[in-house]
Amino acid sequence: MAAVVTGGGSGIGLATARLLAERGAKVACLDLDPSGVEEPLLGLTADVTDQDSVDAAVAAAVERLGGLDVLVNNAGIGAQGTVETNSLDEWHRVLDVNVLGIVRLSRAALPHLRRSSNAAIVNTCSIAATAGLPQRALYSASKGAVQSLTLAMAADHVADGIRVNCVNPGTADTPWVGRLLDAADDPAAERAALEARQPMGRLVSAQEVAAAIAYLASPVAAATTGTALFVDGGMQGL
Ligand code: NAI
């Protein structure tokens, strides 16, 4: 299996790339900053908001990996605020990365995926797609779009033999959340509040999310397309 993971330089993306490689895949990590990507993973610099950058990185990955079977659209950025407090520039920026980034990668990857007999796209969505969370209007809108896009793409490409699914993590213990906690007035209280929000009373790990992505990417999930798999400590269902 040959896989491209965006945002593969950190957190959930890096954990996913490592797991896929452990299971025998050849993996390219596309990231603004691939400096944390170690052998045998292939680190490639790419900006998902720039189609030329995406096209060049996907072409390089396909050449180095010898094809493409799996695309993991995981690169994403967050935003806190309401419709009144986030600027329109922030709206454009977050939607550009979180939603249009998937569109750009998919455009570059689909011609290669059509040639694979085990083709899959897995998008990293979020609990924010379906839960009404305060101070997350923009982020939630972006992830709602990711979930809808996942379903629509699953329908568009089912006849091509390409499965399209998403994973919806709850709050996950990654460098992203580390930065959020560092910026909080009381990091310990903020962490406790995030843990309490999930019925299991803890954050999920990057490895737990990676395991769900790897499942959806693998032929074991051959009958599954157009679904959202929640890895959220029970937040959605309980
Ligand atoms: P992270 O910040 O540790 O990793 C994100 C990676 O994406 C970084 O390496 C960053 O350089 C890369 N990236 C950002 N913008 C990019 C761009 N324009 N082009 C290429 N790469 C870019 O974050 P984490 O937590 O691993 O998040 C990964 C995904 O998981 C995101 O889509 C996020 O929305 C989603 N998610 C995270 C949750 C969490 O609690 N950590 C919960 C639910 C979803």
Side-chain angles (χ1 to χ4, degrees):
M1 177 197 288
V4 160
V5 180
T6 71
S10 173
I12 291 168
L14 185 55
T16 300
R18 285 174 174 154
L19 182 59
L20 293 175
E22 261 171 51
R23 295 182 179 177
K26 290 174 284 180
V27 187
C29 296
L30 276 51
D31 205 294
L32 286 177
D33 175 11
S35 61
V37 176
E38 74 280 350
E39 293 280 330
L41 307 172
L42 172 66
L44 294 171
T45 303
D47 181 350
V48 303
T49 68
D50 177 342
Q51 187 73 56
D52 289 342
S53 165
V54 165
D55 290 347
V58 169
V62 168
E63 191 183 331
R64 297 278 294 275
L65 308 182
L68 188 62
D69 305 292
V70 168
L71 169 64
V72 180
N73 282 308
N74 166 80
I77 56 174
Q80 297 191 45
T82 70
V83 289
E84 291 183 301
T85 61
N86 287 124
S87 69
L88 285 180
D89 282 350
E90 286 176 290
W91 275 86
H92 284 290
R93 173 76 192 150
V94 173
L95 293 172
D96 202 14
V97 176
N98 293 6
V99 185
L100 293 174
I102 296 178
V103 175
R104 293 186 186 94
L105 261 297
S106 300
R107 283 173 184 240
L110 278 165
H112 304 288
L113 293 174
R114 282 197 183 92
R115 290 195 275 273
S116 165
S117 53
N118 277 310
I121 297 176
V122 185
N123 299 322
T124 307
C125 191
S126 170
I127 187 75
T130 51
L133 301 174
Q135 296 293 325
R136 295 290 188 280
L138 165 51
Y139 183 66
S140 298
S142 77
K143 292 299 184 176
V146 170
Q147 188 161 334
S148 303
L149 179 60
T150 300
L151 303 187
M153 285 183 61
D156 283 336
H157 302 295
V158 67
D160 295 329
I162 302 170
R163 298 181 298 104
V164 188
N165 294 289
C166 64
V167 165
N168 293 35
T171 306
D173 214 343
T174 69
W176 166 325
V177 169
R179 290 190 296 273
L180 263 182
L181 295 179
D182 288 344
D185 292 335
D186 183 344
E190 181 68 20
R191 187 182 178 93
L194 290 174
E195 288 170 348
R197 213 167 60 170
Q198 299 183 163
M200 287 183 182
R202 65 170 180 88
L203 304 187
V204 303
S205 70
Q207 289 73 21
E208 288 170 321
V209 182
I213 294 173
Y215 164 69
L216 290 171
S218 82
V220 176
T224 301
T225 194
T227 199
L229 177 53
F230 284 76
V231 184
D232 63 351
M235 197 170 166
Q236 159 81 7
L238 306 185

